[in-house]
């Protein structure tokens, strides 16, 4: 279970924000980043039993953790990068853009001292805060794990809403990943404005339409 040891080990007298994303792999929809800061150690300790890497939680437990975070007094930011931004920048840079937007939401109200980012790479453009990349950070750092929950639940809700407009692809269940229902929908109905045209399966469909 993630805990607060990494945050404490930094010995930083200031706000530490954990950042993670959801939606790098799907064929449709935005990439979403969540940023979370625990300004009070008491808040962090109270949430430890409920917070984990979002991929290791059931949907019901993710929703519960999401609601607890919203009510906890933690500082929370959410950022998105659109399908157009993913296609024009590439998914890595679009992810960093979403992360920047998420952290900036917190920065608008509070002065951030340090950021912990899930993964092995750090943003290099327009990142205004000291940062450290943590491999498997969502399984180690409570702040990053909380960010992963915010990102995942937010993105799932976005895809569920999009599924009401485009019910042919099963996004309410597969969140835009290349699941069988999504593939079947693509074969029958083609692509939508929410599909990532730079992704190989979608690009292949576009290419076949030109023939």
């Amino acid at each position: 279970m993630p805990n607060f040891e990494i945050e404490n080990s930094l010995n930083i007298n200031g706000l530490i924000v954990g950042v993670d994303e959801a939606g790098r792999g799907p064929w449709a929809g935005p990439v979403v980043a969540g940023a979370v800061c625990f300004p009070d150690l008491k808040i962090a300790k109270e949430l430890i039993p409920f917070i984990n890497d979002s991929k290791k939680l059931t949907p019901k437990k993710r929703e519960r953790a999401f609601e607890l975070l919203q009510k906890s007094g933690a500082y929370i930011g959410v950022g998105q990068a659109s399908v157009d931004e993913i296609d024009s920048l590439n998914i890595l840079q679009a992810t960093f853009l979403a992360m920047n937007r998420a952290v900036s939401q917190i920065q608008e109200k509070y002065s951030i001292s340090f950021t912990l980012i899930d993964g092995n790479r750090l943003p290099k453009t327009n990142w205004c805060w000291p940062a450290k990349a943590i491999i498997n950070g969502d399984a180690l750092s409570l702040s990053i794990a909380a960010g992963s929950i915010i990102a995942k639940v937010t993105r799932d809700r976005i895809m569920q809403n999009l599924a009401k407009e485009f019910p042919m692809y099963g996004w309410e269940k597969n969140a835009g990943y290349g699941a069988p229902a999504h593939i079947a929908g693509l074969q029958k109905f083609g692509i939508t404005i929410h599909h990532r045209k730079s992704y190989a399966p979608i690009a292949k469909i576009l290419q076949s339409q030109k023939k």
Side-chain angles (χ1 to χ4, degrees):
M1 294 286 289
N3 54 51
F4 217 59
E5 290 181 7
I6 291 176
E7 289 84 342
N8 287 333
S9 70
L10 295 171
N11 291 318
I12 290 175
N13 185 22
L15 298 180
I16 300 170
V17 176
V19 192
D20 201 2
E21 54 73 31
R24 287 183 65 170
W27 300 354
V31 61
V32 177
V36 175
C37 171
F38 295 106
D40 187 327
L41 187 59
K42 181 181 178 181
I43 295 173
K45 288 181 177 179
E46 289 175 350
L47 287 172
I48 283 176
F50 305 98
I51 303 300
N52 201 348
D53 171 2
S54 63
K55 298 185 293 295
K56 297 178 181 178
L57 296 175
T58 64
K60 186 175 181 179
K61 288 184 176 180
R62 274 199 302 269
E63 289 283 346
R64 172 65 171 156
F66 182 91
E67 297 302 331
L68 288 172
L69 280 165
Q70 297 288 344
K71 298 174 182 177
S72 69
Y75 302 159
I76 296 173
V78 180
Q80 296 183 40
S82 68
V83 168
D84 288 342
E85 288 170 326
I86 293 169
D87 287 338
S88 62
L89 297 174
N90 74 45
I91 185 59
L92 178 62
Q93 296 307 317
T95 297
F96 289 156
L97 179 60
M99 288 180 170
N100 198 314
R101 289 168 174 167
V103 178
S104 294
Q105 275 193 0
I106 298 176
Q107 182 67 53
E108 288 175 2
K109 295 183 179 179
Y110 310 100
S111 180
I112 295 168
S113 298
F114 202 84
T115 54
L116 294 172
I117 298 175
D118 184 59
N120 61 359
R121 300 180 70 173
L122 293 174
K124 295 182 179 180
T125 305
N126 299 323
W127 196 262
C128 304
W129 311 275
K132 182 177 182 180
I134 308 290
I135 297 173
N136 296 324
D138 46 6
L140 301 171
S141 158
L142 191 72
S143 302
I144 295 176
S148 78
I149 290 168
I150 295 296
K152 174 63 175 169
V153 173
T154 300
R155 189 178 188 280
D156 283 352
R157 290 179 178 181
I158 290 170
M159 297 309 294
Q160 287 161 9
N161 284 329
L162 290 178
K164 296 175 184 177
E165 184 179 359
F166 298 92
M168 309 85 76
Y169 304 94
W171 291 341
E172 72 282 1
K173 293 182 179 179
N174 61 49
Y177 283 88
H182 193 175
I183 294 171
L186 283 166
Q187 291 171 342
K188 186 172 182 179
F189 300 101
I191 69 169
T192 71
I193 58 172
H194 300 293
H195 281 100
R196 302 175 181 180
K197 299 177 181 64
S198 57
Y199 275 41
I202 308 304
K204 186 176 179 181
I205 293 172
L206 288 170
Q207 188 63 34
S208 68
Q209 292 174 348
K210 293 178 181 178
K211 294 179 180 179

